[in-house]
Amino acid sequence: MTMTERRVMLIVDDVEINRAILSQFFQNEYDILEAANGQEALETLESRNVDIMLLDLMMPVMGGMELLGLLHKNPRFSHIPVIVTTSQDVVYSEVQALEKGAVDYVTKPYNPIIVKIRVRNVMARQENEWRKVRQQAQAEKISVMQNIIETDQLTGLYNHQTMLEKTAKLIQENRATKYCIVYLDINCFKVINELFNMETGDTILKTAGAYFKTVVGKRGLAARLSADKFAMCLPEDSLDMELLIQGLDAVMRSLAVYRSIMFYAGVFIVDNVYLSVNKMLDRAHLAMNTVKGNYNKRFAYYDEQLRTSLMEEQMLVRDMEGAMENNNFCIYLQPIYDTVAKKIVSAETLIRWHHPQKGLMSPGRFIHVFEKNGFVTRLDRFAWESACRFLSRQRDNGLTVIPVSVNVSRINMYDHNFVDYMQSLLIKYDLEPRMLRIEITESAYAENPAQLIRVMRKLKNAGFTVLMDDFGSGYSSLNLLKDIAVDVLKLDMKFIQDLEVSNRVAVIMKSVVKMARELGMDTVVEGVETEKQVKFLQEIGCNVIQGYYFAKPMSTDDCLEKIAAEQQ
């Protein structure tokens, strides 16, 4: 390539505005070619030489994953570096993309600085390869450039490119030593920059850099990959993650920044010295993502179980939209009984997924994934409306309407239209507020007490009955009761399960039921499975019970039939 010859970039994305944005980033540096899908990209490659490709994964005709596979198998195109573009809510699609040969990824919406740096780093690596092929004709110039760009100017650590090269060399030259790759990220660093200033943010980064340099010493190396992301490579026998995090916390506290600065880390133990360092970093990154935001766990190790779990999550994300369109989601109902009246007094709505390959799945298999990518908001609304349809069916069949409770995920607590939407469902199906009960988990209170209290007050003012689900499972139970009176406490099933192995549980449950009664609240106990448990609950004055002893979760048709049989 001559000095005046411009490189060629191929941007492949079915959304025109995305192609336009990326073209704007690089039009001064590259000749830009565009394709709307994988098939068009292949046709372009047949007629034009391309130096780098930015590839969207989700496209019609031929998607990004299929194109990656074809490029990898074709020696004419396998040398072209491919950076895939993914959405933020598709957290783990990069796993397959990287395994199919992609060299890096960027997420939407695009941050021009990060996109340019990642493209620059990829092209820097590729440039080295091209220059080697051309017998290092410009070896002197490359050496000068490498000296300039080898070190991150802010922290004094290696930069991303140098990390890749030196880590590969370190591992290859010391094969008798087992190394670990540690990927670290600061939680909510952008917020810290916004609350304070760039100077404070730079101080945090420089302090962290100095700490990491001390940790690795002469046996390893440390780098600032980008923004607030760091990496280390050091021998496994030198790594104590508990001490590393504790020391890092102590160093951050010494800065006396008002907001807590929390690092999260992922660790990949190198078990294959021929694996690219990029892939090692990716695996450590994936491990970190499993704990980021978790205040009780600050680091995680990558293992095959994690990889299998991530692939399972990716499958769920891939199938969720189709499942909604094809009506593969449905609600089940678990009746709640009054042991004195000996009849159903309400029911809880539970979501189920009829998966074509995996069969009927309970929410424990998929809810945690949908909470991370935000799809749970749509699933919640589906369940709420399905519950309203069931209530309407009871009335249309001439039955006395038995109230149904619905669960509300924590993310919906931040939706300003949540209460209005619930009221709109009542109007749509001609229902009374008492018929649709709202279950909110205690953990939502721990996350944002003020917001939850505001929402609960709006619900109660609108006439809804509010239930506190899993009461006693967290640390905020009594604070919650002090701040706002819910209508019903649903005692966490762990209490009743431990009843026969701990005398203390009986004392606690008796006290909670008495306290609730004096506060004007009803109680429901979940997870009741034996006659002995039923008798104990009756003795302490808790007569409303939910559990397999009376009924398992059932289809809406079966539940309607059961209610009808009771009312004959």
Side-chain angles (χ1 to χ4, degrees):
M1 183 180 293
T2 66
M3 293 295 290
T4 58
E5 186 178 357
R6 280 161 59 94
R7 299 188 183 95
V8 178
M9 173 182 286
L10 175 58
I11 300 173
V12 189
D13 197 314
D14 61 314
V15 180
E16 185 175 0
I17 187 64
N18 289 340
R19 298 199 301 272
I21 291 170
L22 291 172
S23 297
Q24 184 69 28
F25 291 168
F26 298 105
Q27 62 183 0
N28 294 330
E29 302 171 52
Y30 294 83
D31 288 333
I32 305 295
L33 303 176
E34 296 184 15
N37 56 60
Q39 187 60 49
E40 288 186 16
L42 283 176
E43 293 170 3
T44 301
L45 291 171
E46 291 291 341
S47 60
R48 295 291 303 271
N49 289 326
V50 171
D51 297 302
I52 187 167
M53 183 187 301
L54 303 185
L55 175 63
D56 186 33
L57 292 180
M58 305 298 293
M59 297 180 293
V61 184
M62 181 188 293
M65 287 296 185
E66 183 178 354
L67 178 59
L68 273 173
L70 294 174
L71 295 177
H72 186 67
K73 294 176 183 177
N74 193 324
R76 291 178 57 199
F77 308 135
S78 59
H79 68 283
I80 299 173
V82 180
I83 298 176
V84 297
T85 64
T86 65
S87 299
Q88 289 180 341
D89 58 347
V90 185
V91 179
Y92 300 112
S93 59
E94 62 265 22
V95 175
Q96 286 184 323
L98 293 167
E99 289 180 344
K100 284 182 177 289
V103 296
D104 210 342
Y105 65 91
V106 293
T107 57
K108 305 171 188 174
Y110 298 123
N111 181 314
I113 296 174
I114 291 177
V115 174
K116 287 182 178 181
I117 288 175
R118 292 203 170 194
V119 169
R120 189 185 308 149
N121 286 342
V122 168
M123 291 306 292
R125 296 194 297 271
Q126 197 69 20
E127 185 75 14
N128 287 337
E129 293 302 317
W130 289 332
R131 288 171 180 172
K132 287 178 183 177
V133 171
R134 293 176 176 82
Q135 299 178 350
Q136 298 184 337
Q138 299 177 349
E140 244 181 71
K141 184 178 179 179
I142 292 174
S143 177
V144 172
M145 291 177 63
Q146 285 180 331
N147 287 335
I148 294 173
I149 67 170
E150 186 177 71
T151 304
D152 174 63
Q153 298 303 303
L154 179 65
T155 64
L157 301 177
Y158 291 127
N159 62 20
H160 195 161
Q161 174 63 27
T162 310
M163 170 78 180
L164 298 178
E165 295 170 357
K166 291 193 175 292
T167 299
K169 183 179 179 181
L170 180 68
I171 293 173
Q172 290 294 337
E173 291 180 352
N174 299 274
R175 296 194 182 187
T177 303
K178 200 171 190 65
Y179 284 94
C180 289
I181 302 294
V182 183
Y183 187 105
L184 300 108
D185 191 3
I186 303 175
N187 193 41
C188 300
F189 185 67
K190 289 181 180 178
V191 175
I192 293 171
N193 272 334
E194 290 172 3
L195 288 175
F196 302 99
N197 50 53
M198 292 294 291
E199 185 177 331
T200 300
D202 287 350
T203 300
I204 292 170
L205 296 175
K206 287 189 285 188
T207 303
Y211 176 76
F212 296 141
K213 189 178 291 186
T214 301
V215 168
V216 298
K218 295 182 179 180
R219 297 193 65 191
L221 53 90
R224 181 187 176 207
L225 302 179
S226 63
D228 58 336
K229 296 168 177 59
F230 295 83
M232 293 186 292
C233 175
L234 66 169
E236 184 182 19
D237 60 11
S238 300
L239 180 65
D240 184 326
M241 284 304 300
E242 291 283 359
L243 285 177
L244 189 152
I245 294 294
Q246 289 174 14
L248 187 55
D249 287 346
V251 169
M252 291 297 109
R253 283 194 299 270
S254 72
L255 297 178
V257 176
Y258 176 72
R259 183 182 177 87
S260 175
I261 305 164
M262 297 184 71
F263 274 82
Y264 289 90
V267 184
F268 173 68
I269 300 174
V270 179
D271 54 3
N272 178 2
V273 297
Y274 298 105
L275 194 67
S276 72
V277 178
N278 254 331
K279 287 189 176 180
M280 296 177 189
L281 286 170
D282 288 334
R283 293 181 179 183
H285 188 185
L286 290 171
M288 185 210 70
N289 283 338
T290 65
V291 295
K292 191 170 183 181
N294 185 335
Y295 284 85
N296 296 318
K297 189 174 182 183
R298 303 279 296 285
F299 64 89
Y301 281 79
Y302 180 94
D303 55 24
E304 282 307 307
Q305 182 179 354
L306 172 60
R307 184 182 183 280
T308 301
S309 174
L310 294 175
M311 296 300 288
E312 168 83 3
E313 289 188 8
Q314 186 177 337
M315 180 276 294
L316 295 174
V317 171
R318 180 197 67 199
D319 294 345
M320 66 187 187
E321 292 287 353
M324 186 66 77
E325 292 172 7
N326 297 325
N327 296 317
N328 293 139
F329 290 110
C330 68
I331 63 166
Y332 270 41
L333 294 160
Q334 185 171 28
I336 298 173
Y337 278 82
D338 186 321
T339 59
V340 175
K342 300 187 183 302
K343 64 178 183 179
I344 300 172
V345 291
S346 65
E348 180 181 359
T349 303
L350 304 166
I351 198 76
R352 294 290 186 270
W353 183 353
H354 285 283
H355 194 279
Q357 283 81 44
K358 297 185 176 295
L360 187 66
M361 295 198 298
S362 63
R365 296 276 300 277
F366 53 84
I367 283 294
H368 67 287
V369 179
F370 296 162
E371 285 179 337
K372 284 191 285 188
N373 67 18
F375 187 74
V376 72
T377 58
R378 287 183 60 191
L379 198 60
D380 270 0
R381 291 197 171 197
F382 168 82
W384 302 339
E385 185 148 9
S386 298
C388 289
R389 281 197 291 269
F390 177 75
L391 290 167
S392 180
R393 284 180 65 192
Q394 291 186 64
R395 182 192 59 224
D396 295 345
N397 280 273
L399 300 173
T400 300
V401 176
I402 299 298
V404 169
S405 62
V406 293
N407 291 282
V408 179
S409 62
R410 281 176 287 182
I411 194 169
N412 275 305
M413 292 291 101
Y414 299 92
D415 181 357
H416 296 298
N417 298 316
F418 164 56
V419 178
D420 292 337
Y421 181 77
M422 300 304 283
Q423 289 179 301
S424 74
L425 288 177
L426 298 183
I427 295 170
K428 180 177 179 180
Y429 290 94
D430 192 22
L431 302 172
E432 300 172 27
R434 67 169 184 82
M435 298 176 181
L436 186 64
R437 298 182 167 189
I438 312 297
E439 291 200 21
I440 298 173
T441 60
E442 182 190 348
S443 56
Y445 177 84
E447 186 175 284
N448 192 330
Q451 178 64 16
L452 180 63
I453 289 169
R454 282 194 294 270
V455 172
M456 291 175 71
R457 283 179 177 152
K458 287 183 69 176
L459 286 168
K460 287 177 69 65
N461 289 338
F464 288 99
T465 299
V466 178
L467 294 77
M468 180 53 56
D469 196 16
D470 297 334
F471 183 81
S473 62
Y475 302 99
S476 55
S477 309
L478 296 179
N479 270 332
L480 176 60
L481 298 185
K482 171 179 65 70
D483 293 331
I484 187 169
V486 296
D487 299 294
V488 181
L489 294 184
K490 293 191 74 174
L491 271 64
D492 185 58
M493 64 175 61
K494 184 67 175 172
F495 278 117
I496 200 69
Q497 291 170 351
D498 290 343
L499 184 62
E500 295 179 14
V501 296
S502 171
N503 293 328
R504 299 169 69 90
V505 170
V507 176
I508 293 170
M509 290 189 70
K510 184 176 181 180
S511 299
V512 170
V513 171
K514 180 182 178 183
M515 175 187 67
R517 187 184 306 115
E518 292 180 356
L519 290 173
M521 293 181 285
D522 294 327
T523 53
V524 176
V525 177
E526 300 177 284
V528 180
E529 298 181 353
T530 67
E531 185 174 353
K532 183 177 180 180
Q533 292 170 348
V534 173
K535 288 181 177 178
F536 167 75
L537 293 171
Q538 288 176 324
E539 289 172 359
I540 66 172
C542 182
N543 299 314
V544 183
I545 293 171
Q546 179 180 353
Y548 280 18
Y549 180 81
F550 289 107
K552 295 181 179 181
M554 61 188 68
S555 68
T556 52
D557 288 342
D558 289 345
C559 191
L560 189 67
E561 184 178 329
K562 200 171 189 68
I563 292 170
E566 276 195 1
Q567 295 185 16
Q568 284 180 351

